[in-house]
Amino acid sequence: MQSNRQDADLENWHDFEVESRREIIALLRSIGEKNQLIRMLVHGESDVCVTSILEVDADNNAVILDCSINPEQNQRILGAKGLSYETTLDKIRILFASERVEKCTFQGTPAMKIALPPTLIRLQRREYYRMSTPVSNPVRVVIPLPAEMGGGSTSFPLADISCGGIAILDNKLILGDSIGKNYLDCRIELPEVGTVVTSLQIRNSIDLTLLNNKSNRRLGCQFADMARGALNSVQRYITKLERERNARIAGLG
Protein backbone atom coordinates (compact mmCIF):
# COMPACT_ATOMS: atom_id res chain seq x y z
CA MET A 1 0.00 0.00 0.00
CA GLN A 2 2.80 2.40 0.84
CA SER A 3 4.51 1.82 -2.47
CA ASN A 4 1.24 2.42 -4.33
CA ARG A 5 0.89 5.73 -2.57
CA GLN A 6 4.40 6.72 -3.53
CA ASP A 7 3.79 5.78 -7.17
CA ALA A 8 0.69 7.96 -7.17
CA ASP A 9 2.71 10.84 -5.74
CA LEU A 10 5.34 10.53 -8.45
CA GLU A 11 2.60 10.65 -11.11
CA ASN A 12 0.55 13.45 -9.57
CA TRP A 13 3.48 15.80 -8.93
CA HIS A 14 4.95 15.86 -12.44
CA ASP A 15 4.55 19.65 -12.49
CA PHE A 16 7.30 19.78 -9.84
CA GLU A 17 9.68 17.41 -11.59
CA VAL A 18 13.41 18.20 -11.63
CA GLU A 19 15.18 16.93 -14.76
CA SER A 20 18.50 18.77 -14.57
CA ARG A 21 21.26 16.24 -13.83
CA ARG A 22 23.36 18.90 -12.13
CA GLU A 23 20.48 19.97 -9.89
CA ILE A 24 19.60 16.36 -9.00
CA ILE A 25 23.21 15.67 -8.00
CA ALA A 26 23.31 18.85 -5.90
CA LEU A 27 20.04 18.02 -4.12
CA LEU A 28 21.06 14.44 -3.34
CA ARG A 29 24.47 15.55 -2.08
CA SER A 30 22.81 18.10 0.20
CA ILE A 31 20.52 15.38 1.57
CA GLY A 32 23.57 13.24 2.30
CA GLU A 33 25.62 16.07 3.84
CA LYS A 34 22.75 17.00 6.18
CA ASN A 35 22.28 13.34 7.19
CA GLN A 36 18.62 13.42 6.24
CA LEU A 37 16.86 10.10 6.74
CA ILE A 38 15.20 8.57 3.68
CA ARG A 39 12.16 6.28 3.71
CA MET A 40 12.77 3.45 1.24
CA LEU A 41 9.58 1.75 0.06
CA VAL A 42 9.88 -1.66 -1.60
CA HIS A 43 7.18 -2.20 -4.23
CA GLY A 44 4.94 -5.06 -3.17
CA GLU A 45 6.10 -4.98 0.45
CA SER A 46 4.36 -3.36 3.41
CA ASP A 47 7.45 -2.61 5.50
CA VAL A 48 9.54 0.54 5.23
CA CYS A 49 13.31 0.76 5.45
CA VAL A 50 15.02 3.90 6.73
CA THR A 51 18.29 4.66 4.98
CA SER A 52 20.59 7.60 4.18
CA ILE A 53 22.84 8.75 1.35
CA LEU A 54 26.49 7.92 1.93
CA GLU A 55 27.82 9.26 -1.36
CA VAL A 56 26.70 10.56 -4.73
CA ASP A 57 29.13 9.16 -7.32
CA ALA A 58 28.45 11.39 -10.30
CA ASP A 59 31.25 9.89 -12.40
CA ASN A 60 29.58 6.47 -12.27
CA ASN A 61 25.97 7.75 -12.17
CA ALA A 62 25.40 6.05 -8.82
CA VAL A 63 24.04 6.86 -5.37
CA ILE A 64 25.42 4.89 -2.41
CA LEU A 65 22.92 4.16 0.37
CA ASP A 66 23.28 2.79 3.87
CA CYS A 67 22.08 -0.79 4.49
CA SER A 68 19.21 -1.77 6.72
CA ILE A 69 20.14 -3.21 10.11
CA ASN A 70 17.81 -6.12 9.28
CA PRO A 71 19.55 -8.74 7.04
CA GLU A 72 16.22 -10.18 5.85
CA GLN A 73 15.00 -6.74 4.87
CA ASN A 74 18.23 -6.19 2.92
CA GLN A 75 17.51 -9.36 0.94
CA ARG A 76 14.02 -8.15 0.08
CA ILE A 77 15.44 -4.80 -0.99
CA LEU A 78 18.07 -6.44 -3.21
CA GLY A 79 15.42 -8.67 -4.79
CA ALA A 80 12.94 -5.85 -5.42
CA LYS A 81 12.03 -4.85 -8.97
CA GLY A 82 11.12 -1.32 -8.00
CA LEU A 83 11.73 1.02 -5.08
CA SER A 84 10.57 4.50 -4.12
CA TYR A 85 12.22 7.00 -1.80
CA GLU A 86 10.93 9.92 0.23
CA THR A 87 12.80 12.49 2.30
CA THR A 88 12.92 16.20 3.10
CA LEU A 89 15.53 18.89 2.56
CA ASP A 90 15.08 22.24 4.29
CA LYS A 91 11.39 21.38 4.78
CA ILE A 92 10.99 20.58 1.08
CA ARG A 93 9.62 17.14 0.27
CA ILE A 94 11.80 15.11 -2.12
CA LEU A 95 10.57 11.99 -3.99
CA PHE A 96 12.46 9.72 -6.37
CA ALA A 97 12.55 6.09 -7.49
CA SER A 98 14.86 3.34 -8.73
CA GLU A 99 14.31 0.08 -10.58
CA ARG A 100 16.66 -1.98 -8.40
CA VAL A 101 19.38 -1.96 -5.77
CA GLU A 102 22.82 -3.59 -5.92
CA LYS A 103 25.20 -4.65 -3.17
CA CYS A 104 28.44 -2.72 -2.80
CA THR A 105 30.89 -1.54 -0.17
CA PHE A 106 31.58 1.97 1.06
CA GLN A 107 34.73 2.70 3.05
CA GLY A 108 35.06 -1.00 3.78
CA THR A 109 31.51 -1.59 5.06
CA PRO A 110 28.47 -3.13 3.30
CA ALA A 111 26.27 -0.65 1.45
CA MET A 112 23.74 -0.46 -1.38
CA LYS A 113 23.94 1.25 -4.75
CA ILE A 114 21.23 2.62 -7.02
CA ALA A 115 21.44 4.41 -10.35
CA LEU A 116 21.39 8.19 -10.21
CA PRO A 117 17.68 9.01 -10.72
CA PRO A 118 17.02 10.72 -14.08
CA THR A 119 14.30 12.84 -12.42
CA LEU A 120 13.01 13.61 -8.95
CA ILE A 121 10.09 15.49 -7.45
CA ARG A 122 10.73 18.57 -5.32
CA LEU A 123 7.71 19.92 -3.47
CA GLN A 124 7.96 23.33 -1.89
CA ARG A 125 5.98 23.80 1.30
CA ARG A 126 3.44 25.93 -0.57
CA GLU A 127 2.49 23.06 -2.89
CA TYR A 128 1.54 20.88 0.08
CA TYR A 129 0.08 23.69 2.20
CA ARG A 130 -3.35 22.98 3.69
CA MET A 131 -6.06 25.63 3.81
CA SER A 132 -9.16 25.32 5.95
CA THR A 133 -12.34 25.52 3.87
CA PRO A 134 -15.38 27.66 4.80
CA VAL A 135 -17.51 26.39 7.69
CA SER A 136 -20.72 28.37 7.10
CA ASN A 137 -20.99 27.40 3.43
CA PRO A 138 -18.82 24.28 3.20
CA VAL A 139 -17.17 22.99 0.06
CA ARG A 140 -18.49 19.50 -0.64
CA VAL A 141 -17.23 16.35 -2.29
CA VAL A 142 -19.60 13.82 -3.84
CA ILE A 143 -18.30 10.28 -3.40
CA PRO A 144 -19.83 7.33 -5.31
CA LEU A 145 -20.29 4.39 -2.97
CA PRO A 146 -19.53 0.82 -4.10
CA ALA A 147 -22.34 -1.74 -4.25
CA GLU A 148 -21.28 -3.40 -0.98
CA MET A 149 -21.86 -0.04 0.77
CA GLY A 150 -25.32 0.41 -0.73
CA GLY A 151 -24.39 2.15 -3.97
CA GLY A 152 -25.43 5.65 -4.94
CA SER A 153 -23.48 8.79 -4.10
CA THR A 154 -23.14 10.76 -0.86
CA SER A 155 -22.00 14.33 -0.30
CA PHE A 156 -19.51 15.19 2.46
CA PRO A 157 -18.26 18.61 3.65
CA LEU A 158 -14.55 19.39 3.46
CA ALA A 159 -12.53 20.45 6.49
CA ASP A 160 -9.45 21.51 4.52
CA ILE A 161 -7.75 21.17 1.15
CA SER A 162 -4.22 21.02 -0.26
CA CYS A 163 -2.67 20.09 -3.59
CA GLY A 164 -2.11 16.64 -2.12
CA GLY A 165 -5.60 15.88 -0.86
CA ILE A 166 -8.54 16.85 1.31
CA ALA A 167 -9.91 16.22 4.78
CA ILE A 168 -13.61 15.40 4.89
CA LEU A 169 -16.11 15.17 7.74
CA ASP A 170 -18.15 11.96 7.89
CA ASN A 171 -20.54 12.61 10.77
CA LYS A 172 -22.75 9.62 9.88
CA LEU A 173 -19.72 7.28 9.72
CA ILE A 174 -20.74 6.14 6.24
CA LEU A 175 -17.28 5.55 4.80
CA GLY A 176 -15.79 3.60 7.69
CA ASP A 177 -12.17 4.08 8.66
CA SER A 178 -10.36 1.63 6.38
CA ILE A 179 -6.92 3.12 5.75
CA GLY A 180 -5.94 2.66 2.12
CA LYS A 181 -9.49 2.27 0.77
CA ASN A 182 -10.01 3.94 -2.63
CA TYR A 183 -13.08 5.77 -3.88
CA LEU A 184 -13.21 6.46 -7.62
CA ASP A 185 -14.66 9.36 -9.65
CA CYS A 186 -15.19 11.71 -6.70
CA ARG A 187 -16.40 15.22 -7.60
CA ILE A 188 -15.30 18.29 -5.66
CA GLU A 189 -17.25 21.49 -6.29
CA LEU A 190 -14.81 24.39 -5.91
CA PRO A 191 -16.67 27.74 -5.70
CA GLU A 192 -15.77 30.20 -8.49
CA VAL A 193 -13.28 27.66 -9.89
CA GLY A 194 -15.29 24.67 -11.04
CA THR A 195 -15.63 20.93 -10.51
CA VAL A 196 -12.65 18.61 -10.27
CA VAL A 197 -12.86 14.83 -10.54
CA THR A 198 -10.36 12.56 -8.82
CA SER A 199 -9.97 9.28 -7.03
CA LEU A 200 -9.51 9.51 -3.27
CA GLN A 201 -7.57 7.21 -0.98
CA ILE A 202 -8.18 7.30 2.78
CA ARG A 203 -4.84 7.93 4.51
CA ASN A 204 -5.91 8.59 8.12
CA SER A 205 -8.99 8.63 10.32
CA ILE A 206 -9.66 10.60 13.52
CA ASP A 207 -12.84 10.33 15.60
CA LEU A 208 -13.85 13.68 17.14
CA THR A 209 -16.22 14.70 19.93
CA LEU A 210 -17.78 18.09 19.21
CA LEU A 211 -18.74 20.74 21.76
CA ASN A 212 -22.36 19.52 21.65
CA ASN A 213 -21.12 15.99 22.54
CA LYS A 214 -21.96 14.72 19.08
CA SER A 215 -19.37 12.52 17.38
CA ASN A 216 -17.80 13.16 14.01
CA ARG A 217 -15.08 11.50 11.96
CA ARG A 218 -12.37 13.36 10.09
CA LEU A 219 -10.91 11.41 7.18
CA GLY A 220 -7.67 12.52 5.56
CA CYS A 221 -7.84 11.60 1.86
CA GLN A 222 -5.11 11.72 -0.76
CA PHE A 223 -5.72 12.57 -4.41
CA ALA A 224 -4.98 9.72 -6.81
CA ASP A 225 -4.98 9.76 -10.62
CA MET A 226 -5.66 13.49 -10.65
CA ALA A 227 -5.26 15.17 -14.03
CA ARG A 228 -2.91 18.14 -14.35
CA GLY A 229 -5.78 20.51 -15.13
CA ALA A 230 -7.65 19.43 -12.01
CA LEU A 231 -4.53 19.92 -9.89
CA ASN A 232 -4.17 23.42 -11.30
CA SER A 233 -7.80 24.12 -10.36
CA VAL A 234 -7.14 23.02 -6.79
CA GLN A 235 -4.12 25.34 -6.62
CA ARG A 236 -6.22 28.25 -7.92
CA TYR A 237 -8.86 27.59 -5.26
CA ILE A 238 -6.23 27.44 -2.50
CA THR A 239 -4.84 30.76 -3.72
CA LYS A 240 -8.38 32.21 -3.66
CA LEU A 241 -8.88 31.04 -0.05
CA GLU A 242 -5.52 32.50 0.92
CA ARG A 243 -6.37 35.91 -0.59
CA GLU A 244 -9.74 35.96 1.19
CA ARG A 245 -8.08 35.09 4.50
CA ASN A 246 -5.45 37.81 4.05
CA ALA A 247 -8.18 40.34 3.20
CA ARG A 248 -10.04 39.46 6.43
CA ILE A 249 -6.86 39.82 8.46
CA ALA A 250 -6.14 43.19 6.84
CA GLY A 251 -9.70 44.31 7.57
CA LEU A 252 -9.40 43.36 11.24
CA GLY A 253 -6.12 45.25 11.44
Side-chain angles (χ1 to χ4, degrees):
M1 191 61 64
Q2 290 286 343
S3 61
N4 290 340
R5 178 184 70 83
Q6 188 84 351
D7 290 342
D9 280 347
L10 293 173
E11 289 296 324
N12 286 336
W13 296 118
H14 42 59
D15 283 350
F16 311 106
E17 193 170 48
V18 177
E19 297 180 327
S20 164
R21 183 176 184 274
R22 180 179 297 178
E23 191 172 359
I24 290 169
I25 291 171
L27 286 169
L28 294 177
R29 281 180 173 162
S30 294
I31 291 167
E33 290 166 0
K34 295 188 177 185
N35 297 314
Q36 290 296 115
L37 295 179
I38 299 172
R39 295 172 68 248
M40 177 191 290
L41 311 176
V42 180
H43 295 192
E45 297 284 346
S46 59
D47 59 340
V48 177
C49 171
V50 177
T51 185
S52 59
I53 294 176
L54 301 176
E55 183 182 46
V56 178
D57 184 355
D59 292 338
N60 293 300
N61 288 314
V63 181
I64 311 301
L65 303 173
D66 198 8
C67 286
S68 169
I69 59 173
N70 185 329
E72 293 182 358
Q73 191 172 51
N74 284 327
Q75 289 303 313
R76 291 196 295 272
I77 291 169
L78 292 169
K81 295 182 179 180
L83 302 102
S84 301
Y85 309 85
E86 178 177 346
T87 188
T88 58
L89 178 65
D90 300 327
K91 298 184 179 179
I92 296 173
R93 190 176 174 206
I94 305 289
L95 307 172
F96 58 99
S98 70
E99 291 185 359
R100 60 193 181 94
V101 171
E102 298 178 0
K103 287 194 296 186
C104 68
T105 59
F106 179 75
Q107 298 180 350
T109 60
M112 298 181 290
K113 179 174 67 175
I114 65 171
L116 183 73
T119 64
L120 57 76
I121 304 296
R122 180 180 57 192
L123 287 176
Q124 302 284 352
R125 283 175 292 177
R126 180 177 177 82
E127 274 96 56
Y128 218 63
Y129 178 60
R130 288 191 173 275
M131 282 292 296
S132 296
T133 48
V135 175
S136 57
N137 186 23
V139 179
R140 306 190 75 86
V141 57
V142 177
I143 300 180
L145 301 179
E148 63 269 20
M149 297 177 66
S153 298
T154 303
S155 174
F156 301 88
L158 271 61
D160 63 41
I161 186 169
S162 77
C163 282
I166 57 176
I168 65 176
L169 298 174
D170 180 14
N171 64 338
K172 296 182 180 178
L173 310 184
I174 294 172
L175 299 177
D177 58 357
S178 299
I179 306 302
K181 186 171 181 60
N182 292 289
Y183 292 92
L184 308 179
D185 298 321
C186 303
R187 300 174 62 85
I188 307 171
E189 306 290 340
L190 299 177
E192 299 179 32
V193 173
T195 301
V196 298
V197 180
T198 181
S199 297
L200 293 174
Q201 183 181 83
I202 297 178
R203 300 306 308 165
N204 58 70
S205 172
I206 301 174
D207 287 336
L208 308 169
T209 300
L210 307 181
L211 294 176
N212 57 9
N213 288 325
K214 291 185 178 181
S215 61
N216 204 339
R217 178 169 288 162
R218 182 185 184 280
L219 297 173
C221 303
Q222 180 175 308
F223 296 141
D225 304 320
M226 176 174 274
R228 182 179 303 189
L231 185 61
N232 290 338
S233 295
V234 171
Q235 181 63 71
R236 286 201 304 273
Y237 182 66
I238 292 172
T239 301
K240 173 181 174 293
L241 289 178
E242 203 168 20
R243 287 173 178 165
E244 291 174 351
R245 183 194 63 180
N246 293 339
R248 288 196 300 271
I249 293 172
L252 290 174

